[in-house]
Amino acid sequence: MLKLTRKLEYALIALRHMQDKGDTFISAKEIADMYLIPQELLAKTLQQMVKLNYIKAAQGPHGGYRVRKGLTEISMTQFMEDLEGPIGIVDCNINAECIQLENCNIRLPIKKINSNIRAIFNEIRVGDITS
Amino acid sequence: MLKLTRKLEYALIALRHMQDKGDTFISAKEIADMYLIPQELLAKTLQQMVKLNYIKAAQGPHGGYRVRKGLTEISMTQFMEDLEGPIGIVDCNINAECIQLENCNIRLPIKKINSNIRAIFNEIRVGDITS
DNA sequence: TTAAATACGACTATTTAAGTCGGGTATAAC
DNA sequence: GTTATACCCGACTTAAATAGTCGTATTTAA
Ligand code: SF4
Ligand code: SF4
């Protein structure tokens, strides 16, 4: 209940590590080894972040990834939703396909809570975690 | 990611319904039928709440459940943790061994976020949802 | 005695998250 | 130009968590 995904954690750990190293390219292997993260899984995540323009990749020997400027200003809400899809503590906050929906007597108060949680992540920037 | 369990939703729906009906005993079947909730699953949840002293049960025909006084003052944190166990957006916030723990570079900022989320649920009482 | 209801535990199914594999492309170093 | 390193990409498999079902026993009002 209410868990972040492992992928998000790995992404943040990697970002922080890369940020510490400045402009040099860091390989997925280096990070995977250092933090005991499954390499293939981390690689996939980093590749996703390349597509999102969060980081820049360099191929070939001595290649790897480095963080793009400006990433730290992105809100955690955007970061999380880019990587994992919309945040919603219940189904009707995402796609509305719930058989209880029509008679549901808790929908509105729950929606309020969802807003509160989103608000928390809106006020946190990626840089607050990775710097 | 960050989902409430269905069980919690069913519990809240049931509590709200029972509260609307005052002191009369409401059967699991009535609630299950009304909100299209799987009856056996709802029943199990209600039984759990009986053990927690959240509601009172009456057996036999015209039996059922009714809400105990004072339930509405309980915080959502306690309610959720009673039903589903400790809240923690990552493993190390609960206890669980995490192989990254020793070198983890995001543990502290994540812990802060977890506190923020817990704070939200601490300030919400069950009655805020079921009344 | 019967029927409606709770009580419990074991079981199965479904969904989601986590992790793995195989084959490809780019590029620096020799 | 061969080799080794590293990114790229999609399909696949496994594991874990959630959701739902079933069988049987017990209580009790009518
Ligand atoms: S409609 Fe009610 S039961 Fe369905 S997802 Fe929303 S809150 Fe939950
Ligand atoms: S130690 Fe780091 S990786 Fe492990 S659960 Fe905590 S935050 Fe996540």
Side-chain angles (χ1 to χ4, degrees):
Chain A
M1 176 187 49
L2 287 174
K3 275 254 166 69
L4 253 45
T5 61
R6 223 55 202 174
K7 186 167 88 176
L8 278 176
E9 292 192 68
Y10 295 159
L12 290 168
I13 288 172
L15 288 176
R16 174 152 208 174
H17 183 82
M18 289 188 276
Q19 213 145 55
D20 288 346
K21 300 288 181 152
D23 273 355
T24 53
F25 286 93
I26 312 291
S27 73
K29 185 174 190 318
E30 174 179 328
I31 299 171
D33 286 349
M34 178 140 186
Y35 300 98
L36 305 176
I37 299 170
Q39 182 175 340
E40 295 301 323
L41 182 51
L42 176 62
K44 238 179 19 175
T45 307
L46 292 165
Q47 284 157 28
Q48 189 180 356
M49 287 198 283
V50 169
K51 278 192 188 163
L52 290 167
N53 247 308
Y54 282 180
I55 58 180
K56 172 149 176 41
Q59 288 193 325
H62 310 307
Y65 304 89
R66 78 174 167 212
V67 180
R68 281 192 190 279
K69 317 282 178 194
L71 171 61
T72 54
E73 300 306 317
I74 290 175
S75 77
M76 274 300 288
T77 305
Q78 178 165 0
F79 177 73
M80 290 164 65
E81 296 197 332
D82 278 350
L83 262 68
E84 296 286 11
I87 295 170
I89 61 172
V90 292
D91 288 348
C92 65
N93 286 329
I94 297 176
N95 64 24
E97 277 184 36
C98 169
I99 55 170
Q100 280 84 29
L101 191 133
E102 199 158 325
N103 300 316
C104 185
N105 58 8
I106 59 166
R107 197 173 148 208
L108 293 178
I110 293 279
K111 192 163 194 170
K112 229 175 185 172
I113 297 174
N114 198 64
S115 301
N116 292 343
I117 289 180
R118 260 179 141 272
I120 285 182
F121 287 109
N122 264 323
E123 280 158 33
I124 302 170
R125 286 160 305 149
V126 171
D128 294 335
I129 296 173
T130 62
S131 308
Chain B
M1 177 187 50
L2 288 173
K3 276 253 166 69
L4 253 46
T5 62
R6 221 59 200 173
K7 186 168 89 177
L8 278 176
E9 292 192 67
Y10 295 159
L12 290 168
I13 288 172
L15 287 177
R16 174 153 207 172
H17 183 83
M18 288 187 277
Q19 213 145 54
D20 288 347
K21 301 287 179 152
D23 272 355
T24 52
F25 285 93
I26 312 291
S27 73
K29 186 174 189 320
E30 173 179 328
I31 298 172
D33 286 349
M34 177 140 186
Y35 300 97
L36 304 176
I37 297 169
Q39 182 176 339
E40 294 302 323
L41 182 52
L42 176 62
K44 238 180 18 175
T45 306
L46 291 166
Q47 283 157 29
Q48 189 179 356
M49 287 198 285
V50 169
K51 279 193 186 162
L52 289 167
N53 247 308
Y54 282 179
I55 58 180
K56 173 149 176 42
Q59 288 192 324
H62 310 305
Y65 304 90
R66 79 174 167 213
V67 179
R68 280 192 190 278
K69 318 281 180 196
L71 171 60
T72 54
E73 300 305 319
I74 290 175
S75 78
M76 273 301 288
T77 304
Q78 179 166 359
F79 177 73
M80 290 164 65
E81 295 196 333
D82 277 350
L83 261 68
E84 295 286 11
I87 295 171
I89 61 172
V90 292
D91 288 348
C92 65
N93 286 330
I94 295 175
N95 66 27
E97 337 100 42
C98 167
I99 55 170
Q100 281 83 30
L101 193 135
E102 198 158 326
N103 301 315
C104 185
N105 58 9
I106 59 165
R107 199 173 145 209
L108 293 178
I110 294 278
K111 192 162 192 170
K112 228 173 186 173
I113 296 175
N114 199 63
S115 302
N116 292 342
I117 290 180
R118 259 178 142 272
I120 286 181
F121 288 109
N122 264 324
E123 280 158 33
I124 301 170
R125 288 161 303 151
V126 171
D128 294 335
I129 296 173
T130 61
S131 309

